[in-house]
Amino acid sequence: METCLPCLYAALTSIGFAMVFELRRWQHILAAGFAGTAGWLVYLLTADAMGVVGRNFVATVAVAILAEIFARIFKSPATVFLITGIIPLVPGGGLYYTMDALIDGNMALFAQRGVEAASIAGAIAAGSSLVSSVVRILPKRKRVPAGGTGK
């Protein structure tokens, strides 16, 4: 239950943002929800293995791989699934507490929380960029025309 409920919340968050981004097809909306759930599940499962920044990086890589797969399946841009899938990973609470510390005048806590939030955002950016770059570098499989020799 400790894992199921947060994954359900991640799915609902991703589905909600998919609707905000006006995805029309229900297959796209469900795929976005699945990507968000998978990302959050990876985040939760790697809790004992690494810190928060590493967990966000690995979870973003998982979401980006799913986004590329869904892009090929649905013949849509990968960013549609990537953006909605990483929404649960975005450090919104960390940014809130960073600004709260600034307003309270606690500069030490402001710096600590700010560096952590920026590190998480950097890990998310690095994870999505890594997968996107690898996909672009990999050779494309050439289609052989029906009845042709492929030359």
Side-chain angles (χ1 to χ4, degrees):
M1 195 64 169
E2 292 177 15
T3 306
C4 294
L5 210 51
C7 288
L8 175 66
Y9 296 150
L12 293 175
T13 302
S14 294
I15 288 171
F17 271 87
M19 291 179 179
V20 168
F21 291 154
E22 296 183 11
L23 293 181
R24 302 274 189 239
R25 300 177 63 195
W26 64 270
Q27 295 97 339
H28 291 186
I29 295 171
L30 291 179
F34 182 76
T37 302
W40 195 253
L41 183 62
V42 169
Y43 179 82
L44 292 175
L45 293 178
T46 56
D48 296 333
M50 57 189 72
V52 175
V53 175
R55 292 165 62 189
N56 275 286
F57 176 77
V58 173
T60 302
V61 167
V63 171
I65 290 170
L66 280 174
E68 294 291 340
I69 291 170
F70 290 146
R72 302 307 181 275
I73 291 172
F74 297 121
K75 295 176 179 44
S76 297
T79 54
V80 169
F81 305 107
L82 178 65
I83 291 174
T84 55
I86 63 172
I87 288 295
L89 300 173
V90 172
L95 293 172
Y96 171 81
Y97 291 119
T98 300
M99 291 299 110
D100 187 46
L102 177 66
I103 290 171
D104 288 343
N106 188 346
M107 291 302 150
L109 186 59
F110 166 71
Q112 176 190 357
R113 301 236 187 213
V115 167
E116 183 179 356
S119 299
I120 291 170
I124 291 171
S128 62
S129 297
L130 175 73
V131 172
S132 178
S133 298
V134 168
V135 167
R136 302 296 176 263
I137 290 171
L138 292 176
K140 304 265 192 231
R141 190 177 68 200
K142 293 185 179 179
R143 293 186 156 227
V144 177
T149 60
K151 294 183 181 182

